[in-house]
Amino acid sequence: MTKATPDTMPDTMTKALYTTVDSPLGELLLVGEASATANGGTALASLSTPGQKGGVVLQEGSGWVRDDEAFAVIAGQLRAYFDGTLTHFDIEYVSGVGTDFQQRVWQAVDTVPYGTTTTYGKLAEQLGLSRAAVRALGTAIGRNPLLVVRPCHRIIGADGSLTGYAGGLERKQRLLDLESV
């Protein structure tokens, strides 16, 4: 498997599946693997936007298998989210992605409710991190391989400004507008 971000794609993936989904953010690339426990049978490893900083890109000879049907449930949830009828995703993620610290940060990001925002500082405080660790927290958020479904777009600067989003600040604003934040 060819990966653009080796630290955010598990080396243990048995057979990488992928599909693309049209969205208001552009064509999304979804990468995952079959899972007997996942809703719809596929666990998600990555969701990338076009031109995303550090995003996964499909490369010839990667060995990935295109399987649109394997992602039908996930694609349906994404469509419902973009239509404004879904506020919480029910998607299993591939295990083994990220460092222990990144996983801890991403779990905290997952708790930020739809239609709200929090700051990097408040998230660090929630995790019991020092003010000095806010930069490390921001780096971990920036390595989130699951844009949109893991809501890192809901994390903003202390002054309310939009800061840092691997998919670009314009997309971050579009997602916040969609959620009426």
Side-chain angles (χ1 to χ4, degrees):
M1 166 172 63
T2 303
K3 320 176 250 308
T5 53
D7 59 337
T8 58
M9 291 291 289
D11 293 327
T12 58
M13 283 184 66
T14 53
K15 178 179 167 186
L17 307 172
Y18 80 94
T19 193
T20 56
V21 175
D22 289 329
S23 82
L25 305 178
E27 186 178 70
L28 305 177
L29 173 63
L30 283 65
V31 180
E33 68 181 5
S35 169
T37 58
N39 182 9
T42 302
L44 192 61
S46 173
L47 189 157
S48 301
T49 60
Q52 173 184 327
K53 179 183 173 187
V56 173
V57 292
L58 180 63
Q59 295 183 8
E60 215 171 292
S62 66
W64 294 358
V65 176
R66 183 173 186 122
D67 188 343
D68 299 337
E69 188 57 35
F71 292 92
V73 170
I74 296 169
Q77 288 186 46
L78 286 165
R79 279 190 294 279
Y81 170 79
F82 288 120
D83 288 344
T85 59
L86 182 77
T87 61
H88 179 77
F89 291 98
D90 179 21
I91 297 172
E92 180 180 306
Y93 305 144
V94 170
S95 64
V97 178
T99 65
D100 289 342
F101 179 74
Q102 288 170 334
Q103 290 175 17
R104 195 168 147 226
V105 170
W106 297 339
Q107 287 171 352
V109 168
D110 281 334
T111 68
V112 180
Y114 180 94
T116 67
T117 59
T118 193
T119 66
Y120 292 92
K122 286 180 182 174
L123 199 62
E125 185 178 308
Q126 176 186 329
L127 289 166
L129 302 174
S130 69
R131 292 295 284 161
V134 171
R135 184 178 303 249
L137 176 127
T139 299
I141 291 171
R143 295 197 184 259
N144 170 20
L146 299 165
L147 295 191
V148 183
V149 298
R150 179 178 288 133
C152 57
H153 58 276
R154 297 179 190 152
I155 315 302
I156 60 174
D159 62 358
S161 64
L162 298 187
T163 59
Y165 187 66
L169 293 182
E170 179 182 309
R171 288 187 179 113
K172 184 171 189 166
Q173 184 65 61
R174 289 186 81 172
L175 291 168
L176 292 173
D177 289 347
L178 171 77
E179 296 182 10
S180 299
V181 176

